[in-house]
Amino acid sequence: MSIIKPRTLSGFMELLPGKQAQFERMTAVLRSTYASYGFAALDTPVIEDAQILLAKGGGETEKQIYRFQKGDSDLALRFDLTVPLAKYVALHCNELAFPFRRFQISKVYRGERAQRGRFREFYQADIDIIGDGKLDILNEAEIPAIIYKVFRGFGLSRFQIRVNNRKILNGFYAMLSLSEKSGDIMRTVDKLDKIGADKVRNILIADCGLTEEQAEEILRFIAIRGTNAEVLSALEGYLGKNELFDQGVSELKAVTANLSAFGVPEENFAVDLTIARGLDYYTGTVYETTLLDHPEIGSVCSGGRYDNLAGYYIDKALPGVGISIGLTRLFYVLDEQGLLNPQLPTAPADALVLPMTEDPAPAIALAESLRNEGLRVQLYGEQKKFKQKMAYADKLGVPFAVLLGEDEIAEGVCSVKNMQTGEQQKLSAAAAAKYIREALAANDGPIILE
């Protein structure tokens, strides 16, 4: 039989155990934070009816989707978590309590060209709040408050959640008699950070058909800067000219005030009129989050308000607001730039129990005792030399090795070795558990370094 050379497909991330442990730490922060705000965990099928997934698709989405036939079924892999959520809410509308709050951390698939930090299979971490007919503006402030808690949970402080409202932009473009081109304008403006003001101006004129005066007016408007209070004050000078604009300013003021009430410091959120989000379905508040010391990474968390989540599947208004974190890309970029904390333990166990007698029963009992004290414990059952056992413990990266030989059994203790310092001491099982727990707590720290 010929040997098939193993390989991982391009665009698919496969991690070694230590890196996987770091990734799991990030997902644990997300799960615990989302759950602390009363969001229900949800999982939807990886495979859906292609008609369901493509209802909101077309164009680039249809080109990127993984689609295949199975018998008479036309199937596809989900390309995001929002469309499956729309189907789910429409299907279970009469069984759900509204507002419906869900989080989902799952893999999605896009058949786009693989490149550094861009994957074909990747995790997204989403939260959404869906209303039945209406959804209060308070929810649009709570979402960025949750983003703040997530990134603080990662150990970060130097990040900024940038907030805007699409109604302000649409209202402003209406003042310039550009409503029919508002979608194209917003998609262009959304590229400002990547391509700069000069290229945006050129695209607005050459591709969107704006006059030089209109393009300059737009660039002046989105260039309004200052504290949140100063930007909001500047917007008041435009009030009374367009009803939609006025509504957007009112909503932005409410979001800003409530963000402060949620305990989000002003240095971590900013009113930014350049934020538009390129997708047309956003209708109100929009968000983008960046790491201040690493702007080259781009947005690490984005989202916003939409008025009709499930319009393709049900004749019922289901407005919502949500955000998405591209978790695989974020992890990859952080790892590449050396920003993941290397000091945090990544071993699958806190302690490795090494039986030093022929009868494994005492070691089995010790391992169970340590587990009952809340530790993650692996029992080494291989009949190998002591040097090989210690080499295994070292390669595994386990912080503590617990040895149990005839002398320890006779004394009613175990020998606990700190694999980092080499220090070894004899302790009772209860004292060993306490010692290991305290040492692990002392080594705790942020997941991401600043």
Side-chain angles (χ1 to χ4, degrees):
M1 184 180 73
S2 61
I3 299 295
I4 300 172
K5 185 178 180 180
R7 66 188 181 94
T8 301
L9 290 172
S10 175
F12 291 76
M13 187 171 75
E14 197 170 54
L15 301 172
L16 289 171
K19 293 298 181 184
Q20 188 66 44
Q22 292 177 312
F23 186 85
E24 295 299 326
R25 281 181 179 270
M26 291 183 68
T27 60
V29 169
L30 288 162
R31 289 182 183 279
S32 63
T33 306
Y34 292 165
S36 73
Y37 281 82
F39 285 78
L42 183 65
D43 194 16
T44 55
V46 171
I47 300 174
E48 296 274 11
D49 187 310
Q51 184 182 22
I52 295 290
L53 291 187
L54 290 172
K56 290 193 174 188
E60 287 303 312
T61 300
E62 192 161 356
K63 292 177 184 177
Q64 294 176 3
I65 198 169
Y66 282 100
R67 190 174 183 179
F68 57 96
Q69 298 287 135
K70 182 67 174 176
D72 295 331
S73 300
D74 183 9
L75 305 172
L77 300 181
R78 65 187 177 204
F79 59 86
D80 73 0
L81 300 178
T82 304
V83 175
L85 172 64
K87 179 220 70 175
Y88 180 92
V89 174
L91 186 61
H92 299 285
C93 191
N94 294 328
E95 303 160 74
L96 298 173
F98 289 94
F100 175 57
R101 302 159 68 91
R102 83 85 170 89
F103 77 86
Q104 185 170 354
I105 304 171
S106 298
K107 288 181 176 179
V108 299
Y109 299 84
R110 295 181 189 174
E112 55 188 347
R113 186 171 66 86
Q115 50 188 306
R116 286 177 64 190
R118 295 287 182 183
F119 296 88
R120 292 169 175 165
E121 176 191 66
F122 56 95
Y123 277 94
Q124 282 189 330
D126 287 18
I127 50 171
D128 287 88
I129 306 172
I130 312 301
D132 185 358
K134 294 182 179 180
L135 190 67
D136 194 85
I137 189 68
L138 180 64
N139 297 285
E140 296 175 43
E142 187 176 34
I143 290 290
I146 297 167
I147 298 171
Y148 170 76
K149 281 291 180 70
V150 164
F151 281 87
R152 289 297 293 156
F154 288 158
L156 293 170
S157 60
R158 296 274 302 152
F159 64 92
Q160 188 176 68
I161 305 161
R162 298 187 291 168
V163 184
N164 195 12
N165 193 297
R166 288 278 288 250
K167 293 176 183 176
I168 292 175
L169 299 177
N170 280 319
F172 180 72
Y173 302 146
M175 293 180 203
L176 300 178
S177 301
L178 293 171
S179 293
E180 291 184 0
K181 298 179 179 180
S182 61
D184 292 335
I185 294 171
M186 275 191 266
R187 281 187 288 274
T188 303
V189 168
D190 200 45
K191 301 173 184 176
L192 185 67
D193 285 347
K194 295 179 181 178
I195 65 175
D198 289 340
K199 288 185 179 179
V200 166
R201 181 188 296 104
N202 292 338
I203 294 173
L204 289 175
I205 295 170
D207 296 348
C208 299
L210 273 63
T211 65
E212 287 189 20
E213 292 75 14
Q214 289 170 327
E216 287 298 333
E217 187 67 29
I218 289 170
L219 288 171
R220 273 196 299 272
F221 179 76
I222 63 176
I224 294 173
R225 290 287 188 274
T227 65
N228 293 331
E230 288 169 345
V231 175
L232 292 172
S233 177
L235 290 176
E236 289 180 357
Y238 294 87
L239 293 177
K241 300 175 183 178
N242 179 274
E243 185 178 351
L244 188 63
F245 181 95
D246 294 356
Q247 185 181 352
V249 172
S250 176
E251 290 178 359
L252 190 56
K253 285 182 177 179
V255 168
T256 302
N258 286 323
L259 267 173
S260 298
F262 274 114
V264 181
E266 183 153 338
E267 60 263 28
N268 290 114
F269 77 93
V271 175
D272 188 335
L273 300 178
T274 68
I275 302 303
R277 304 297 303 141
L279 297 174
D280 289 338
Y281 61 73
Y282 290 119
T283 56
T285 307
V286 284
Y287 324 99
E288 284 194 359
T289 307
T290 54
L291 304 183
L292 293 175
D293 296 327
H294 299 278
E296 71 280 1
I297 294 176
S299 176
V300 294
C301 176
S302 59
R305 167 71 182 246
Y306 41 85
D307 279 340
N308 193 3
L309 175 77
Y312 285 94
Y313 314 116
I314 189 172
D315 187 17
K316 191 178 181 71
L318 296 169
V321 60
I323 59 97
S324 179
I325 299 175
L327 193 55
T328 301
R329 177 178 175 271
L330 176 60
F331 179 84
Y332 175 89
V333 173
L334 291 172
D335 185 34
E336 187 180 54
Q337 300 204 8
L339 297 176
L340 296 175
N341 189 348
Q343 300 303 316
L344 294 180
T346 57
D350 302 319
L352 179 69
V353 173
L354 301 173
M356 308 299 290
T357 59
E358 289 187 11
D359 181 9
I364 294 172
L366 174 61
E368 285 299 314
S369 174
L370 295 175
R371 290 188 190 107
N372 290 337
E373 292 288 336
L375 295 177
R376 301 174 303 144
V377 180
Q378 184 181 142
L379 177 65
Y380 189 87
E382 306 308 304
Q383 301 301 314
K384 294 191 176 181
K385 295 180 180 180
F386 177 72
K387 186 176 181 180
Q388 291 174 300
K389 292 180 180 182
M390 294 306 293
Y392 175 78
D394 191 53
K395 189 169 185 178
L396 196 65
V398 69
F400 294 93
V402 182
L403 289 65
L404 193 64
E406 298 290 355
D407 291 345
E408 285 86 1
I409 293 171
E411 296 175 39
V413 297
C414 57
S415 292
V416 181
K417 181 173 183 177
N418 185 316
M419 295 298 293
Q420 188 172 17
T421 66
E423 178 188 0
Q424 185 168 313
Q425 54 186 306
K426 289 184 176 181
L427 300 166
S428 68
K434 183 174 183 291
Y435 166 66
I436 293 171
R437 279 199 310 269
E438 289 176 351
L440 292 172
N443 286 334
D444 198 15
I447 298 172
I448 302 171
L449 301 172
E450 289 191 315

